[in-house]
Amino acid sequence: AVQLTQSPSSLSASLGDRVTITCRASQGIGNELGWYQQKPGKAPELLIYAASSLQSGVPSRFSGSQSGTDFTLTITGLQPEDFASYYCLQDNNWPYSFGQGTKLEIK
Amino acid sequence: EVQLVQSGAELKKPGESLKISCQASGYNFPTYYVGWVRQMAGKGLEWVGIVRPSDSDTLYSPSFEGQVTISADRSINTAYLQWSSLKASDTAMYFCARVTGLGIVAYWGQGTLVTVSS
């Protein structure tokens, strides 16, 4: 099974900051990775798919990149609504897997 | 508009059975896998399993194999997650979601909170 190692598990940042979250896959998954934002009590929302494609309606301050089996989510210019939890997801092969999550908090 | 609407919260006792549902609308239901995701309180997201409504092909994550049953009824565009004998450790929020590939899970149900307590 593909393991996704996501880091950091928590992150404190200020409004306007640039933050990066990484996800490392235990084996090759092509570009079959998405990034999700989740707020308490709500379903996750898709931000990035195919490693670097921005989902329709998602602000352009969110971006994704890939280098081999390393994937990165970058948020440039943090807004108040961005403080939430973030997860990566691979659906290259079953069982699909999520990263452990990153909780982004206000400093 | 694609929508996934889940059944309401459940409070059950250990050993009881339960079947929760996820009704899809706004797209051709047989075409896409529907998955179930568990989230225990304060924890991360875990895949339970997925079902392909066109032929009911079902895959389970190893941790859930034999513990739950996933099914789909194409006639009413609905997927199900069921337990035959609940445990306290099944207490969690369960989300259904439409799976497309390339990391795309763009549509989610609102979640069903299952509480198992004596």
Side-chain angles (χ1 to χ4, degrees):
Chain A
V2 176
Q3 307 292 328
L4 293 178
T5 303
Q6 186 175 338
S7 62
S9 57
S10 63
L11 179 57
S12 292
S14 302
L15 292 174
D17 280 356
R18 177 179 182 270
V19 299
T20 59
I21 299 168
T22 63
C23 199
R24 173 167 290 173
S26 60
Q27 63 191 67
I29 57 171
N31 68 340
E32 296 193 82
L33 184 124
W35 288 98
Y36 294 79
Q37 178 192 72
Q38 188 184 31
K39 296 183 177 177
K42 299 294 187 182
E45 293 187 3
L46 176 64
L47 301 172
I48 301 289
Y49 65 93
S52 59
S53 296
L54 188 68
Q55 171 69 353
S56 176
V58 174
S60 58
R61 62 180 180 272
F62 292 92
S63 62
S65 63
Q66 176 184 5
S67 176
T69 58
D70 291 339
F71 300 83
T72 300
L73 173 70
T74 300
I75 313 172
T76 303
L78 278 172
Q79 298 298 303
E81 59 269 29
D82 300 337
F83 293 93
S85 294
Y86 293 84
Y87 295 89
C88 55
L89 155 71
Q90 71 82 20
D91 60 0
N92 174 259
N93 57 66
W94 186 260
Y96 302 156
S97 48
F98 289 98
Q100 300 94 321
T102 297
K103 187 171 184 179
L104 176 56
E105 298 174 308
I106 299 176
K107 186 184 289 185
Chain B
E1 178 193 9
V2 174
Q3 284 194 307
L4 298 173
V5 179
Q6 297 184 229
S7 49
E10 301 276 1
L11 175 59
K12 292 289 191 178
K13 291 181 166 47
E16 291 186 331
S17 63
L18 175 64
K19 191 173 189 177
I20 63 175
S21 66
C22 170
Q23 185 168 38
S25 61
Y27 72 97
N28 187 16
F29 182 65
T31 305
Y32 296 89
Y33 278 94
V34 174
W36 289 94
V37 173
R38 183 177 80 173
Q39 188 167 40
M40 301 176 83
K43 303 297 184 183
L45 303 164
E46 305 170 87
W47 283 100
V48 177
I50 56 174
V51 60
R52 185 168 58 199
S54 60
D55 59 3
S56 292
D57 180 48
T58 308
L59 296 171
Y60 296 93
S61 290
S63 303
F64 295 93
E65 184 85 54
Q67 308 304 308
V68 297
T69 302
I70 292 172
S71 59
D73 185 340
R74 288 186 302 169
S75 68
I76 54 172
N77 288 359
T78 300
Y80 300 97
L81 173 63
Q82 67 181 90
W83 296 260
S84 58
S85 181
L86 286 159
K87 309 180 190 68
S89 56
D90 293 318
T91 295
M93 181 73 83
Y94 292 86
F95 295 101
C96 66
R98 192 185 86 170
V99 181
T100 306
L102 292 177
I104 301 171
V105 183
Y107 300 100
W108 296 75
Q110 80 277 20
T112 296
L113 181 62
V114 173
T115 305
V116 184
S117 174
S118 54

